[in-house]
Amino acid sequence: MAEIEEIDVAEHIDRQPVGSFQIKLLLACAAVLVLDGFDTQAIGYVAPALAREWSLSRAALGPVFSAGLFGLMIGALVFGPLADRVGRKRIIILSMLAFGVGTIATAFVNDVTTLLIIRLLTGLGLGGAMPNAVAMTSEFSPHRRRATMVMIMFCGFSIGAALGGLLAAALIPQYGWRSVFIVGGAAPLLLAPVLAWRLPESVRFLALSGRADARVAELLGRINPNAAAVTVGTRFVVHEPPLEGLPVLHLFRDGRTLPTLLLWVVFFMSLLDLYFLANWLPVVLNDLGASVSSAVLIGSTLQVGGVVGTVALGSVVDRFSFRALALVYFVAVFAVGAIGQLGHSAVLVAIVIFAAGFCIVGGQIAANALAANFYPTSMRATGVGWALGIGRVGSIIGPLIGGALMSAKWSTAALFAIAASAALCAALAALLLGRVVQLGGDSGANRTSSFDAETRRRGSYA
């Protein structure tokens, strides 16, 4: 009998250059996050106009912001583990359909209670798309470029959020705030069938299932058409121990407990800060005298800075891992604090908001990439999804804190001092996480998961 050749998919991908197929897949996942970012942030951009039309107080906007974020939290916690069972592609498509319908429905609400319910349900879809786009991109990327590729892909979220600000500034004066949600809901409904047709399933997920060797061979051939041909009967594997029971429990086994908890602290504080800024900046700037359109445009520089930060930080994070992340958050402390001191100067406040976005948004996207790098295939969507889910608790609390402090008549400087303290907590947790991971023998972004490292010690395939 002919000997069956066994190929480790992770090792094979690690040996290949980044090709056009991986770039196209990265762009497809980035498109998902463009729409995710647009629809997530749209409520913040329409908030001043919505509050004026419905005569809502600033404090009343806090629950409106948090309802969608609560849905995001539940979506990430549920759909991350589900994707580790049924596949990344199915959950991405389902999530897009869900948040597309929910966003269009938002355009037709006429009272706060209905708005809260619709934003909650829309958040379920938004929360399911993100961790699976991260996992998909990660699992098609060689480990030496994985953090960079995930971060570049995640620029889509910041681009979508910034685009939401630009479109809101143009649409609201002409067509009202409801038009923003009609545009934001139609786009994912149009893209979902295209992705259902063209987006592949994760090659590492297919290999781990052990039932799709022909499809895995096809995808590996598309990653590098010049690689040696695969013979008939080749068996594709991912050398990871099988996981039994709830995937979430495995986040706390084999030395992952402390790193997992520290990751959650980073995500919690980072997203608390990000959504505090994203939701309240247009409102605060409007209160300081800027027009609605100007406040939205200046506030959108947060996301523009995030795009620049993500592109600039990718290779640095690949090399220095959590140490780079800690430094970025330490810089964010000063940038965020400065917003409260310069709010009356449009030019200066735009500059420091850009810097805050560079650090906070760029840092959060780096944390997503590092989380995907830390966990193995069989729990990657679960690990990223739960980190994002715990972080969403922070994203819910952030807008509520902002609303409560504004209702209590806190000064602008004090508001942003509180936001700066959250960045400091994220920086300290990232610094400690870097130490823990290093002592545990894993270098974060410079290696793949501990299971991949163990595979390399066993030797590569013939």
Side-chain angles (χ1 to χ4, degrees):
M1 294 179 63
E3 183 178 354
I4 296 177
E5 182 183 14
E6 186 175 281
I7 292 181
D8 183 340
V9 171
E11 286 280 348
H12 183 87
I13 293 174
D14 288 347
R15 293 181 178 184
Q16 309 307 319
V18 175
S20 60
F21 173 76
Q22 289 147 302
I23 293 173
K24 290 176 183 177
L25 182 132
L26 181 153
L27 293 175
C29 291
V32 173
L33 292 193
V34 167
L35 302 179
D36 193 303
F38 184 107
D39 289 351
T40 299
Q41 294 302 123
I43 191 68
Y45 292 128
V46 306
L50 175 66
R52 184 173 294 111
E53 181 178 316
W54 289 2
S55 301
L56 296 177
S57 67
R58 297 296 184 248
L61 289 174
V64 173
F65 295 150
S66 294
L69 299 176
F70 185 77
L72 277 159
M73 177 190 72
I74 301 300
L77 295 176
V78 171
F79 289 119
L82 184 60
D84 281 329
R85 299 292 189 187
V86 305
R88 298 19 172 155
K89 177 178 177 178
R90 292 179 182 177
I91 300 302
I92 288 173
I93 302 302
L94 176 63
S95 297
M96 291 186 66
L97 293 173
F99 75 73
V101 171
T103 302
I104 286 182
T106 305
F108 298 96
V109 300
N110 292 299
D111 61 86
V112 174
T113 301
T114 305
L115 179 61
L116 290 172
I117 295 171
I118 294 297
R119 292 308 296 169
L120 172 64
L121 296 176
T122 304
L124 295 175
L126 293 168
M130 186 181 294
N132 288 290
V134 172
M136 178 79 82
T137 304
S138 175
E139 289 166 0
F140 273 98
S141 304
H143 74 91
R144 66 186 180 278
R145 292 289 182 266
R146 188 170 297 166
T148 297
M149 292 188 69
V150 170
M151 291 178 69
I152 291 174
M153 182 277 298
F154 216 97
C155 280
F157 186 90
S158 298
I159 291 171
L163 182 62
L166 297 175
L167 284 179
L171 291 174
I172 291 173
Q174 296 293 323
Y175 305 103
W177 61 267
R178 298 175 191 273
S179 62
V180 177
F181 292 107
I182 292 175
V183 173
L189 295 180
L190 293 173
L191 182 60
V194 177
L195 293 183
W197 173 45
R198 298 294 297 173
L199 186 69
E201 181 53 270
S202 162
V203 67
R204 290 179 65 154
F205 176 85
L206 292 172
L208 199 61
S209 73
R211 300 186 301 271
D213 285 342
R215 180 58 174 156
V216 173
E218 177 191 349
L219 290 173
L220 292 182
R222 294 174 69 185
I223 289 173
N224 186 1
N226 297 321
V230 178
T231 60
V232 176
T234 298
R235 179 169 174 262
F236 298 95
V237 298
V238 175
H239 285 299
E240 298 176 4
L243 301 182
E244 298 180 357
L246 293 174
V248 175
L249 298 180
H250 292 276
L251 302 179
F252 302 96
R253 295 175 180 169
D254 300 321
R256 287 186 287 265
T257 298
L258 184 55
T260 290
L261 293 176
L262 288 171
L263 269 174
W264 288 3
V265 172
V266 171
F267 274 68
F268 180 92
M269 291 298 176
S270 179
L271 286 171
L272 183 153
D273 215 6
L274 175 55
Y275 281 86
F276 180 103
L277 296 173
N279 284 304
W280 287 113
L281 274 173
V283 176
V284 171
L285 294 172
N286 184 232
D287 287 346
L288 290 174
S291 67
V292 171
S293 294
S294 296
V296 167
L297 286 174
I298 295 172
S300 68
T301 59
L302 182 80
Q303 303 297 341
V304 176
V307 173
V308 176
T310 300
V311 174
L313 292 172
S315 60
V316 178
V317 172
D318 262 320
R319 182 174 181 182
F320 296 106
S321 187
F322 292 105
R323 290 175 292 170
L325 184 64
L327 179 60
V328 168
Y329 281 127
F330 276 122
V331 175
V333 175
F334 300 98
V336 173
I339 297 174
Q341 305 296 327
L342 303 172
H344 291 282
S345 170
V347 174
L348 293 178
V349 78
I351 292 172
V352 294
I353 290 173
F354 177 93
F358 185 102
C359 297
I360 296 294
V361 180
Q364 177 57 48
I365 294 174
N368 294 335
L370 292 172
N373 227 12
F374 180 75
Y375 294 109
T377 304
S378 53
M379 67 177 75
R380 180 165 290 118
T382 298
V384 175
W386 271 70
L388 284 167
I390 297 300
R392 293 301 178 190
V393 178
S395 72
I396 294 166
I397 293 173
L400 292 176
I401 290 175
L405 296 181
M406 292 182 71
S407 295
K409 307 299 182 182
W410 280 44
S411 68
T412 303
L415 280 174
F416 290 100
I418 293 295
S421 68
L424 179 60
C425 291
L428 294 173
L431 186 64
L432 181 56
L433 182 57
R435 297 283 296 175
V436 170
V437 170
Q438 186 177 28
L439 291 173
D442 185 61
S443 60
N446 291 324
R447 298 184 189 179
T448 50
S449 69
S450 57
F451 291 122
D452 291 336
E454 178 62 26
T455 298
R456 291 185 179 84
R457 287 194 289 271
R458 295 174 185 168
S460 60
Y461 62 82

